[in-house]
Amino acid sequence: MNRKKVLLVTHVGDFIPQFEMDNVKFLQQQGCEIHYAANFHLSSYGRKGELLKNSGIICHQIPFQRSPFRKENLQAYKMLKKIFEDEKFAMVHCHTPIGGALARLAGRKFRKEGLKVVYTAHGFHFCSGAPRLNWLLYYPAEYLLSWLTDVQITINQEDYDRAARFFHAGKVVRIPGVGIDSRQLEKRILEDRKRFRASLGVGEQDFCLLSVGELDANKNHETVLRALQEMDRRQIRYLICGKGELEQELQMKILEYGLEDTVKLLGYRNDAPAVYEAADVFVFPSHREGLSVALMEAMAKGLPAVASRIRGNVDLIVDEKGGLLANSHSAPEFARAILRLQKDPGLCKRMGEYNRKRVRLFDRAKVRSVMEKVYQEVLR
């Protein structure tokens, strides 16, 4: 009996090992042969795909580029078509905008031969408050590509409502993000919090803010820098974990705003759970999110949040219960929220406890349960 072949597609090579290994293991348990097409020269999560070693996954190097206008994506499309022709997949599950678009286009004629197409949108680029250009570029593309999609998976309520109402996929499903192991994250790992905070440049009496995410325009760290510039920040420390294209620019802004004693760029951290425990508040000023893993991890660690009032964040953070929501463009709103929490330790504790319980709704086990049903239905 021939094993069914499944192709996973993402534009960066460490997406599957970072978020999708539960799904891979389930498919392998069902007897499927797993292939993975991605650009393994690109990394967003600091792992560079090392978790793929000894995983049984057959990897295909495809030169995807993040920008839809790069000529390498035409080559990527042709290479995907060749893989479809050679391997005769039963299902393709694609993620990320470029990977999702090119995989659905390359696989369209093979749907007549039984190929099933699953696409997970980890946050459409068009959403409430998004620039008009995003709507002009991405909405028509996703609308047309929905005709080539058997199962459209969304991870937040706004995307689900829009896809279910306007798109033409065979089925639209909502899952609670990629999921986290909330019970494991709830466990405390710092034996000496004071000492660890000191290693990060945070004093015992300091009020420690933390952000985790790529250093890019969307993550919007500069709004928090501008908020801090206008505040009494003598006992405030702001830690930012992550790497990205704006690292040098942010470092220059820190110097320009006179924040070198307040703000510290920590780079990519392998000990993120410990850093969460060292913080007092999680600050998340993104302009656009799908359903943030970093925010869910902070909630599981019992942190209150000061977050932008955007799609995805509002699915996770209940305003005035788990944190305070602010306009992503408004430094004064972020400043007021931070100062309010700094002055009220009791409120911080109550919000943190609320988040710890709420985030269990987004546990990995719940995601796994939905995805297993999707796969069983598609592959039967």
Side-chain angles (χ1 to χ4, degrees):
M1 181 178 177
N2 292 332
R3 300 172 67 191
K4 288 185 177 180
K5 295 182 180 182
V6 172
L7 177 65
L8 308 176
V9 183
T10 70
H11 89 270
V12 294
D14 55 357
F15 186 95
I16 293 300
Q18 180 76 2
F19 297 120
E20 294 289 312
M21 293 308 288
D22 282 348
N23 289 337
V24 168
K25 291 174 183 176
F26 174 76
L27 289 168
Q28 288 174 330
Q29 289 167 0
Q30 303 304 301
C32 296
E33 178 180 288
I34 309 301
H35 293 242
Y36 181 22
N39 189 340
F40 297 99
H41 302 307
L42 298 179
S43 172
S44 292
Y45 307 100
R47 293 178 177 270
K48 299 186 183 299
E50 74 270 15
L51 291 181
L52 295 171
K53 295 178 181 178
N54 303 316
S55 66
I57 298 173
I58 299 169
C59 295
H60 303 269
Q61 167 60 26
I62 305 292
F64 293 119
Q65 298 298 314
R66 190 184 297 269
S67 169
F69 305 109
R70 293 284 295 272
K71 63 181 181 180
E72 292 91 337
N73 285 321
L74 178 58
Q75 181 187 0
Y77 168 73
K78 294 177 180 179
M79 293 174 69
L80 278 176
K81 283 187 67 176
K82 182 68 165 57
I83 294 172
F84 278 115
E85 290 172 356
D86 291 344
E87 300 295 345
K88 307 302 180 185
F89 296 109
M91 179 181 78
V92 56
H93 187 175
C94 44
H95 306 256
T96 68
I98 294 299
L102 294 182
R104 285 181 284 177
L105 289 171
R108 65 189 185 280
K109 78 173 185 178
F110 300 96
R111 297 179 73 212
K112 296 178 182 179
E113 302 173 13
L115 174 70
K116 297 295 184 181
V117 178
V118 180
Y119 171 53
T120 298
H122 296 270
F124 290 127
H125 280 290
F126 49 89
C127 58
S128 298
R132 181 174 296 180
L133 181 61
N134 283 29
W135 282 90
L136 292 173
L137 287 177
Y138 293 105
Y139 183 85
E142 290 289 359
Y143 175 83
L144 293 173
L145 288 167
S146 71
W147 292 90
L148 305 177
T149 308
D150 295 292
V151 181
Q152 168 73 69
I153 298 174
T154 60
I155 64 172
N156 59 64
Q157 190 64 49
E158 180 180 321
D159 285 352
Y160 174 81
D161 291 342
R162 185 165 285 119
R165 185 175 178 183
F166 296 111
F167 286 6
H168 294 274
K171 184 175 184 178
V172 179
V173 176
R174 180 188 171 199
I175 61 173
V178 296
I180 61 168
D181 189 341
S182 59
R183 298 290 183 176
Q184 183 64 33
L185 282 166
E186 286 177 11
K187 297 177 182 177
R188 310 303 289 182
I189 60 176
L190 281 183
E191 295 182 359
D192 190 337
R193 184 172 183 263
K194 177 181 176 181
R195 183 175 180 179
F196 186 75
R197 279 165 62 100
S199 74
L200 300 174
V202 180
E204 185 176 6
Q205 301 303 317
D206 287 335
F207 189 66
C208 182
L209 312 176
L210 171 66
S211 291
V212 175
E214 287 187 74
L215 306 185
D216 60 22
N218 178 60
K219 294 300 182 184
N220 188 35
H221 301 293
E222 188 180 345
T223 289
V224 184
L225 300 185
R226 289 190 286 109
L228 291 172
Q229 185 186 26
E230 303 300 325
M231 295 165 53
D232 180 354
R233 54 184 182 274
R234 284 171 292 182
Q235 284 195 307
I236 293 179
R237 296 294 179 268
Y238 181 34
L239 307 177
I240 305 175
C241 292
K243 297 182 70 65
E245 59 189 15
L246 294 187
E247 183 170 352
Q248 289 188 341
E249 183 176 326
L250 285 173
Q251 194 64 65
M252 292 176 62
K253 289 291 184 183
I254 290 168
L255 295 173
E256 178 186 340
Y257 295 163
L259 298 172
E260 56 267 35
D261 293 331
T262 302
V263 182
K264 190 171 184 179
L265 303 182
L266 299 182
Y268 183 85
R269 301 284 298 207
N270 290 315
D271 59 348
V275 182
Y276 285 120
E277 289 184 24
D280 297 300
V281 170
F282 192 70
V283 182
F284 203 59
S286 300
H287 292 308
R288 178 180 54 80
E289 290 290 338
L291 201 71
S292 168
V293 171
L295 183 51
M296 287 190 279
E297 290 175 341
M299 293 168 71
K301 281 298 184 184
L303 291 179
V306 175
S308 48
R309 190 183 293 102
I310 59 170
R311 172 201 65 184
N313 288 0
V314 298
D315 292 63
L316 293 168
I317 298 299
V318 179
D319 198 20
E320 296 288 342
K321 290 187 176 181
L324 302 173
L325 299 177
N327 186 314
S328 67
H329 299 279
S330 176
E333 285 191 29
F334 273 87
R336 287 193 294 270
I338 291 167
L339 288 173
R340 180 179 167 190
L341 291 177
Q342 183 189 23
K343 294 174 181 178
D344 195 340
L347 179 61
C348 285
K349 184 176 180 179
R350 292 191 298 274
M351 286 181 167
E353 286 302 314
Y354 181 89
N355 282 341
R356 196 193 307 272
K357 295 175 182 177
R358 176 170 174 76
V359 80
R360 293 172 188 167
L361 297 172
F362 303 87
D363 190 83
R364 185 177 296 161
K366 296 184 181 297
V367 178
R368 188 186 305 124
S369 176
V370 178
M371 285 308 307
E372 288 178 2
K373 291 177 182 177
V374 169
Y375 286 147
Q376 287 171 337
E377 184 176 317
V378 168
L379 292 171
R380 67 186 177 193

